[in-house]
Amino acid sequence: MKNFIIIIASIIMALASHAAQPQAQAQGLRHFAWGIDVGSSIDLSGNDLSSIDISTYFGYKNSVIRTLGVGVDLRNSLGNSCTMIPVYAMLRTNFSSALTLCFADIRSGYSFNSLNTAAKSNGLFLSAGLGFNLYTSATVHSHIILSYSYNDLKPDDSLGFPRFTHSLSAMSVKIGVNF
């Protein structure tokens, strides 16, 4: 819980510092994108790994691409103390230079998983989602994203019976902002 509070405080300080930047400096960084998403994932695979998620990312943006970059998630499981940390490349775009209601959010990478076992179960991470714009201005976009994610897990029988026999499939809802 202490780490969660530190993360939230860091996010608030980062948002405040970005808002305080002079407009001339922001013009020089017009192709730099960064953002934060907060939400929850519901485990569809029966592994008891539903989680609270925090995502941060940064990269490139232009009139068609909202974000092309890299990011990291922190996914803390609700039913136990399992943690998954996917590191990924991402593409967020509406495939048009016109302002639209929806956009695609695609992520692919590698997840570092701590599943309360001696052996780590790291593996492939994939996510595909559909985002909906809530508020859009010249510098700020807020949104809701509905997505499906896949996280490769290896079977664990260190407890004497098979656990995590299926890789993690989850549906996520996240609300976020990107600049």
Side-chain angles (χ1 to χ4, degrees):
M1 185 65 172
K2 191 177 194 181
N3 290 338
F4 184 73
I5 293 170
I6 291 170
I7 291 170
I8 295 299
S10 299
I11 291 169
I12 291 169
M13 289 180 5
L15 289 174
S17 69
H18 183 273
Q21 287 181 353
Q23 195 65 2
Q25 184 181 8
Q27 285 294 337
L29 299 174
R30 68 179 188 182
H31 290 291
F32 178 73
W34 67 278
I36 301 165
D37 298 334
V38 178
S40 181
S41 295
I42 304 299
D43 181 0
L44 302 176
S45 56
N47 288 325
D48 191 26
L49 293 173
S50 294
S51 62
I52 298 292
D53 309 338
I54 298 174
S55 306
T56 60
Y57 49 87
F58 67 93
Y60 170 82
K61 70 179 178 181
N62 65 21
S63 63
V64 176
I65 297 171
R66 191 159 161 177
T67 306
L68 175 63
V70 294
V72 62
D73 288 6
L74 176 62
R75 296 178 172 218
N76 284 323
S77 181
L78 296 171
N80 47 50
S81 60
C82 298
T83 302
M84 292 164 277
I85 304 174
V87 177
Y88 51 82
M90 72 177 292
L91 172 64
R92 184 175 286 172
T93 182
N94 61 0
F95 303 105
S96 169
S97 59
L99 185 61
T100 60
L101 175 64
C102 300
F103 59 89
D105 182 82
I106 302 164
R107 303 172 188 206
S108 177
Y110 192 79
S111 182
F112 299 93
N113 306 317
S114 172
L115 303 174
N116 297 332
T117 61
K120 300 295 182 203
S121 182
N122 303 334
L124 178 69
F125 171 78
L126 299 170
S127 176
L130 182 63
F132 300 93
N133 291 315
L134 298 176
Y135 172 77
T136 302
S137 73
T139 57
V140 178
H141 298 276
S142 65
H143 53 265
I144 290 179
I145 298 174
L146 305 172
S147 64
Y148 168 81
S149 63
Y150 170 84
N151 198 335
D152 190 28
L153 300 177
K154 289 147 184 79
D156 171 30
D157 55 3
S158 64
L159 299 174
F161 58 90
R163 191 170 154 202
F164 307 125
T165 55
H166 306 286
S167 292
L168 176 63
S169 292
M171 291 299 296
S172 301
V173 176
K174 295 181 182 180
I175 187 166
V177 60
N178 73 317
F179 303 93

